[in-house]
Amino acid sequence: MNYPHTHPSSTRSLLSGRPSSQDSTHSRSTPSDISPPHTVPDGQLSGAWYSTAELACLLRVDPSTLRRWRTAHPRQGPPYVPVTGRVVLYSARDVEAWLVERRVTPGAVS
């Protein structure tokens, strides 16, 4: 969501934690001892995130399949993050790792 008083590239730089080219043109200065909020050590926030509908499209399954996997006991499907009661996100890295774990190579010894 872009607000009328913010430039899209400056909004992106706030979310990514990286300075944009526009940031260097502003005369605002910040103390060097302030670190970015909520730093994630493994860089998860810098990767891609998928909604249920987006991931369902990529996996070629119905979104209800992902919902069913999340509510199954034991849980099935790729790891997910429940952001709110209605919003669930999937990390592209987690989805890729889940797919690699499920890969079947014909003729390979199990």
Side-chain angles (χ1 to χ4, degrees):
M1 171 185 242
N2 290 330
Y3 295 97
H5 61 280
T6 60
H7 186 276
S9 66
S10 64
T11 304
R12 272 195 301 277
S13 69
L14 289 174
L15 295 175
S16 68
R18 293 181 296 242
S20 71
S21 59
Q22 185 188 19
D23 290 342
S24 61
T25 62
H26 292 291
S27 61
R28 286 184 261 164
S29 62
T30 57
S32 60
D33 61 325
I34 297 176
S35 62
H38 310 291
T39 305
V40 179
D42 64 356
Q44 280 283 2
L45 290 179
S46 63
W49 289 84
Y50 300 116
S51 67
T52 298
E54 291 167 335
L55 183 59
C57 184
L58 287 171
L59 295 177
R60 298 182 180 138
V61 299
D62 194 78
S64 66
T65 301
L66 291 172
R67 288 186 208 101
R68 188 174 63 251
W69 288 348
R70 289 194 307 259
T71 59
H73 295 285
R75 302 226 189 266
Q76 300 174 3
Y80 60 93
V81 177
V83 178
T84 68
R86 297 180 59 97
V87 177
V88 174
L89 294 177
Y90 296 87
S91 163
R93 291 179 184 171
D94 287 344
V95 171
E96 186 173 352
W98 176 75
L99 287 170
V100 167
E101 289 172 8
R102 297 183 54 82
R103 183 178 179 162
V104 175
T105 305
V109 178
S110 339

